[in-house]
Amino acid sequence: MAQARGRLYGLLLLCFSCKWVSTAPTEHLISSLPGQPQVSFRQYSGYINVDESAGTNLFYYFVEAQSNASSQPLALWLNGGPGCSSIGGGAFTELGPFYPNGKGDGLRINPYSWNKVANVLFLESPAGVGWSYSRIPAGYRYNDARVANESLVFLLRWFQRFPEYSERPLFLTGESYAGHYIPQLALLMARHNGRMSRGAAAFGFNLHGILVGNPLLNYGVDTSATYSFLWSHGLISDNTYKGVASTCDFRYGYTGQNPDDASKSQGKKAHACPNFLVSARAEVGAFINMYDVTLDVCAPPIVHQALLLHKLMGHLVETSKEGSDEVDVCIDHELTRYLNHPTVQRALHANLTSLPYAWEACSDIVDYKYEDQLEDMLPLLKDLVKSRVRIWIFSGDQDSVVPLTGTRSQLTTLAHHLRLKTMIPYSAWYANGQVGGWVEAYEESLGLVYATVRGAAHMVPYAQPERALILFSSFLHAQPLPSRSS
Amino acid sequence: MAQARGRLYGLLLLCFSCKWVSTAPTEHLISSLPGQPQVSFRQYSGYINVDESAGTNLFYYFVEAQSNASSQPLALWLNGGPGCSSIGGGAFTELGPFYPNGKGDGLRINPYSWNKVANVLFLESPAGVGWSYSRIPAGYRYNDARVANESLVFLLRWFQRFPEYSERPLFLTGESYAGHYIPQLALLMARHNGRMSRGAAAFGFNLHGILVGNPLLNYGVDTSATYSFLWSHGLISDNTYKGVASTCDFRYGYTGQNPDDASKSQGKKAHACPNFLVSARAEVGAFINMYDVTLDVCAPPIVHQALLLHKLMGHLVETSKEGSDEVDVCIDHELTRYLNHPTVQRALHANLTSLPYAWEACSDIVDYKYEDQLEDMLPLLKDLVKSRVRIWIFSGDQDSVVPLTGTRSQLTTLAHHLRLKTMIPYSAWYANGQVGGWVEAYEESLGLVYATVRGAAHMVPYAQPERALILFSSFLHAQPLPSRSS
């Protein structure tokens, strides 16, 4: 059904793109966002139906490039979770053109927005995330395959509304659980394009590459890496780490236990790993941002105080400086306040059905098949390398949730198995005169690249926006990351 | 000879201290330092002869506590190297009352100076460091034992000049190679006190404890930890780390090679470890502060530009903001300019012999017996624990030179061998509402404590001055580090 529709829209697309006329939907054009600094590029947002029977409507926010929008590539951005918002994550706290101001009642410019070099499309996926919704409870039941399918349908229908972008070089980007979303969507696109080449589809995606940060690729490897990261960065003790390393096997999930063994064995042995995990949690404590172990946290008492003040005085105290280079650790609170304001939702053409819950950065409504997180993504990446899709994987190096060490070892393994030629051996890359991170690149076309971003969180463009923009721009143009300090 | 003199001064001391009259040397009193903000505490500096035959004179800088100086404890601070300056390191860029201003022509207040809670004595040791000097070339030939002996003589003679401090609780503090200096000096003091108790010396040190940050304790363990730290923090590749781990043995020094093996074996095997070390150096690159891998570096072109500007315009461009909370990565350059100014040296009663070289943060003149760095300090710490000297060891967790992992494992081992009771299990401690680091404490009196400082460099009070002051203050009073976030 969805495929048939995709084909139909594909025909329309082809037609539109031949004419090369902007037919962007005027009803989705954003005239201005409340408290928004003036800008010269266009923004769009609204709903796209991806499943009529379930009444599933996905929300998107699209920003055209700041200059030469008609010749810049198109990048889709997906946050992970599963269940977290690409609007709240990517668009307004990481790589979009605006950040909330300290009061949460307006916006400030992000000087390192990715729409300086690309048109960027943020998709709120799956239904249940942010303002994306379904008409029936079953519409919130998801697994990796359904997310990939609906994302494909979304893109087909989005291109129908924005046909001038249909032949533009397309890049899939994202972070975290998007390590699952993106390889699967990319392979689905390749399959779709295969149908086109056989004459069974009228439209083909012009997919050039994928870029994923701190991606979940293999739960066993990535979660083991979490505990060695916590240990090597001083957050847990020698004893606890040794215990975790010797008793936990995260291939079976976050409890670190083979469920068969756990049900069979008795007493201490059955609880050895879980007990060490409890120790680890106690040692780290409750006041660490696990997504960036060097970053401070937004202090709850201050937030509380700010909210009280707001009630009393009609506004929030300013917690971040306009244009400051410092990372605003309270940005999530400010954004939640901003996006829940009715005038903001009206300006965004959002929440048209008056959802019975507030906008949240990450959703509890999505009913995800968590077994899917145990799937290994390396075989998919292998297929993508073979089909010549550019793959750049990066790690914010302060993240303990999907730490660089696990991701790096998997990329090393991938390159080794595919016998890829090393073009850039492991070495520092530079941003604004300082080391931006380290990089290792394979193949002459830089088709497979692994890079770290120094001093960056799980949400890389949030903690290191300038370094992230340099990385994104290099990726788009398949150019080596700057190898000199000046 | 030195001991006899020590005894003599001891007698004088006893007499002075009975009277409890300030007899601080007026010729060492600093009236004011150029460009110094006004303060209410007294500062002293000058030379103390520690060896007449060699004409060895050690320079010191002493700041009284900001309030209640007469009842606050006394802390000696020693930088490491060996060969680095306690004035340039500790006093003016880490924990003293002043930092150089951005222009290097004046001073600004350090709001987290350790003289808020103690009288602090900075010793420039050994001769050849900063303005400390010897009259004969042999006077610059040092080993650990000679440094400890001269430091002991220095303190005996300093107490003779400052007798009101002779009975004050005394703490030895320092960092880096002071991991060698301090345990050895503390044991020498204990031995001296033993002589006093047998009636062979008239004066005893009132030593309460030692506090050492990022200390060199065991070269083999600490240097292995360097490479695992570089790997776990993303600075070197999987392949290079595996190579270092499998071919290098740092018990034999920085080349990682048993010299006997190296001379016997031929070809590749002989160079395996050195080759991997070369790879590691290449991968890290030249623009990383190995003492804080997350901190930016003072960009050489900017410094150069600043110096040129200075020549042209008679002043340096401002590279740091007055009172800024940010870390000034160019502070060393600014301080070197400040301390080499003749008016500054006159105000400090320094360089009275017109040394034929400029003041430098670390000296090439000291001819140190580098074999001593391979000595294991754990047995000395064991002796100190047994003699009830309080021992607190801490690690700035961003330091790759003496990383937390090596220090922590040695302290764990020490506590295990001595069967010390754990009083505070490994857990977060707090500073200003945020996690200051992690701590593990032994014995009811908190006689042995290991703590990390989150986000701190090898020079902990430089990168995290507030957290360092909380740590120092807790140490002085044998109080647990704050265990709550508010």
Side-chain angles (χ1 to χ4, degrees), chain B residues 25-221:
Chain B
T26 51
E27 76 277 17
H28 284 190
L29 184 66
I30 296 169
S31 57
S32 176
L33 294 171
Q36 173 206 307
Q38 213 180 346
V39 292
S40 58
F41 56 85
R42 279 174 300 194
Q43 313 171 68
Y44 297 87
S45 61
Y47 286 101
I48 303 270
N49 182 287
V50 293
D51 184 339
E52 280 83 357
S53 62
T56 303
N57 291 277
L58 299 186
F59 187 80
Y60 78 90
Y61 170 60
F62 176 57
V63 288
E64 290 196 332
Q66 293 187 19
S67 55
N68 307 317
S70 64
S71 61
Q72 301 280 27
L74 173 67
L76 174 76
W77 173 269
L78 294 172
N79 273 86
C84 293
S85 162
S86 303
I87 309 286
F92 285 96
T93 64
E94 294 189 68
L95 55 107
F98 307 117
Y99 291 153
N101 67 11
K103 295 175 187 169
D105 62 1
L107 300 171
R108 61 189 168 95
I109 293 282
N110 166 18
Y112 304 107
S113 175
W114 288 14
N115 81 330
K116 293 209 157 193
V117 292
N119 303 280
V120 191
L121 173 59
F122 301 91
L123 170 60
E124 209 71 322
S125 162
V129 172
W131 298 303
S132 290
Y133 66 91
S134 182
R135 294 273 184 203
I136 58 170
Y140 294 111
R141 248 172 257 142
Y142 277 98
N143 57 24
D144 281 2
R146 191 177 158 207
V147 169
N149 272 311
E150 285 190 357
S151 300
L152 188 84
V153 174
F154 168 84
L155 279 174
L156 287 167
R157 296 184 181 184
W158 186 87
F159 277 126
Q160 197 242 349
R161 286 173 173 256
F162 292 83
E164 66 270 38
Y165 285 99
S166 63
E167 293 181 355
R168 208 67 66 81
L170 173 64
F171 297 91
L172 307 183
T173 68
E175 74 193 13
S176 196
Y177 200 79
H180 273 227
Y181 293 159
I182 287 176
Q184 301 191 40
L185 176 57
L187 284 173
L188 221 52
M189 285 177 168
R191 215 170 298 154
H192 173 93
N193 285 3
R195 282 199 301 275
M196 187 193 70
S197 67
R198 291 192 308 275
F203 164 79
F205 294 100
N206 190 15
L207 180 65
H208 279 223
I210 70 172
L211 174 74
V212 203
N214 297 70
L216 182 71
L217 294 176
N218 179 302
Y219 196 90
V221 175

Side-chain angles (χ1 to χ4, degrees), chain A residues 338-382:
Chain A
Y338 183 75
L339 292 184
N340 277 307
H341 205 284
T343 59
V344 173
Q345 298 187 358
R346 267 198 299 278
L348 279 167
H349 328 113
N351 196 12
L352 302 177
T353 57
S354 297
L355 296 166
Y357 46 80
W359 182 94
E360 281 191 89
C362 291
S363 159
D364 291 329
I365 294 154
V366 178
D367 178 14
Y368 213 90
K369 190 188 169 201
Y370 278 97
E371 290 81 359
D372 277 13
Q373 73 187 350
L374 301 181
E375 289 293 316
D376 185 10
M377 293 296 113
L378 261 277
L380 281 66
L381 292 182
K382 271 187 198 170

Side-chain angles (χ1 to χ4, degrees), chain A residues 410-459:
Chain A
Q410 291 176 80
L411 269 285
T412 306
T413 302
L414 179 67
H416 182 74
H417 282 179
L418 292 171
R419 295 184 189 173
L420 301 181
K421 205 170 146 191
T422 299
M423 292 310 296
I424 301 171
Y426 205 84
S427 49
W429 65 271
Y430 295 85
N432 195 20
Q434 300 289 345
V435 172
W438 283 264
V439 61
E440 183 150 25
Y442 305 90
E443 298 206 296
E444 279 167 43
S445 60
L446 302 177
L448 181 67
V449 169
Y450 174 69
T452 69
V453 181
R454 194 169 69 100
H458 186 78
M459 290 73 67

Side-chain angles (χ1 to χ4, degrees), chain A residues 192-207:
Chain A
H192 173 94
N193 285 3
R195 283 200 299 276
M196 187 195 70
S197 68
R198 291 192 308 275
F203 164 78
F205 294 101
N206 191 14
L207 180 65

